[in-house]
Amino acid sequence: KTGTTELSDTIIVGTNAEYQPFSFLRDGTIVGFDIDVAKEVVKRLGKNIEIIDMPFDMLLPCLQMGTVQIIAAGISPKPSRAKHVLFTKPYFENDPLLVITPKKDAPITTLDQLDGKTVVVNDGYTADSYMSERKNVRIQRLATPAQALLALSSGRADAYVAATSSVQRFLATHPDEYNTYTIGDTSDTYALVISPEHAALLQPIQDALDGMLKDGSIDALKKTWGLA
């Protein structure tokens, strides 16, 4: 499908506001790095923006149906997803996966140490697909980083694997409670996702993102949200 050729006055952006610092609730308002990126993109298109918070597993189905036009939620481009939706070029890269374990346990220095253990991941994110390839690990999928960290701290999981950016603020405020191990061969990337029903948005949005990368706006937002 090529999608509609007309751009509506209001761009509907879907997100899952439980993924700091990309998209989360602060005093009842959806904020975050991805939200600011989306707002600036839509502003440069001369359009209004409507942001809808929904469960992560509803984002791609709603996008495919065209009920939302864009997803801004720390989504990584994957070939399996690209068969059904449209991706911009990544505007955030080099975000390695991190293994988090309680300080009371021996530090993890190799992934083989996770064999036979229960490892929590966030359902649908890159850590989920990466860890699912390790057959000797018991995977526990939870919806949000907050739920995953609770499972870890309560002893219901042995380790939590997530993108570094999604947990670095939490770890900075709990420096004596967790060990971390960076998985060296991993690097998450994030892009905006466009509905195939609204394919005409892809090029204008990409042009806006290119402009933001060129003029330093993306770098400024990274600093604002502690990502640089």
Side-chain angles (χ1 to χ4, degrees):
K1 283 186 177 181
T2 57
T4 181
T5 58
E6 296 183 4
L7 303 184
S8 60
D9 289 335
T10 298
I11 305 298
I12 302 173
V13 177
T15 194
N16 174 236
E18 301 200 57
Y19 199 67
Q20 291 196 48
F22 293 90
S23 176
F24 63 103
L25 288 172
R26 177 189 286 164
D27 299 327
T29 300
I30 303 172
V31 298
F33 172 71
D34 265 359
I35 301 304
D36 281 353
V37 168
K39 285 181 174 178
E40 181 62 22
V41 164
V42 172
K43 178 182 175 182
R44 294 188 184 205
L45 295 185
K47 305 295 182 181
N48 301 312
I49 189 170
E50 178 182 351
I51 302 172
I52 300 177
D53 183 21
M54 63 181 69
F56 184 83
D57 60 4
M58 290 299 297
L59 287 171
L60 289 173
C62 285
L63 190 80
Q64 288 175 257
M65 291 186 294
T67 52
V68 300
Q69 294 158 294
I70 305 172
I71 295 175
I75 299 281
S76 302
K78 295 180 181 178
S80 58
R81 290 172 174 167
K83 294 176 182 178
H84 308 289
V85 297
L86 306 171
F87 285 97
T88 64
K89 298 173 186 175
Y91 53 84
F92 186 90
E93 301 181 89
N94 303 318
D95 191 13
L97 297 180
L98 200 65
V99 181
I100 306 157
T101 53
K103 203 77 166 182
K104 62 181 178 59
D105 297 340
I108 293 292
T109 57
T110 169
L111 282 180
D112 289 342
Q113 290 173 262
L114 296 178
D115 287 354
K117 296 185 181 296
T118 298
V119 177
V120 65
V121 296
N122 293 126
D123 193 11
Y125 284 94
T126 299
D128 183 359
S129 56
Y130 182 86
M131 292 305 299
S132 294
E133 295 178 1
R134 299 191 65 85
K135 304 305 180 186
N136 296 324
V137 174
R138 293 190 298 271
I139 300 296
Q140 182 179 0
R141 295 177 178 86
L142 296 174
T144 69
Q147 292 173 352
L149 288 162
L150 180 60
L152 184 62
S153 63
S154 64
R156 290 183 286 119
D158 300 301
Y160 172 35
V161 179
T164 300
S165 63
S166 68
V167 291
Q168 61 189 15
R169 282 193 173 191
F170 174 84
L171 293 173
T173 60
H174 299 76
D176 301 319
E177 296 178 34
Y178 299 96
N179 295 313
T180 60
Y181 166 69
T182 300
I183 304 176
D185 60 346
T186 59
S187 180
D188 220 346
T189 61
Y190 307 115
L192 294 178
V193 199
I194 316 300
S195 169
E197 295 291 331
H198 302 278
L201 283 170
L202 179 59
Q203 193 57 55
I205 287 173
Q206 186 61 61
D207 291 343
L209 282 173
D210 289 344
M212 291 169 67
L213 286 164
K214 187 175 181 180
D215 67 20
S217 297
I218 294 286
D219 286 339
L221 289 176
K222 286 180 182 177
K223 290 177 181 176
T224 296
W225 292 104
L227 293 167

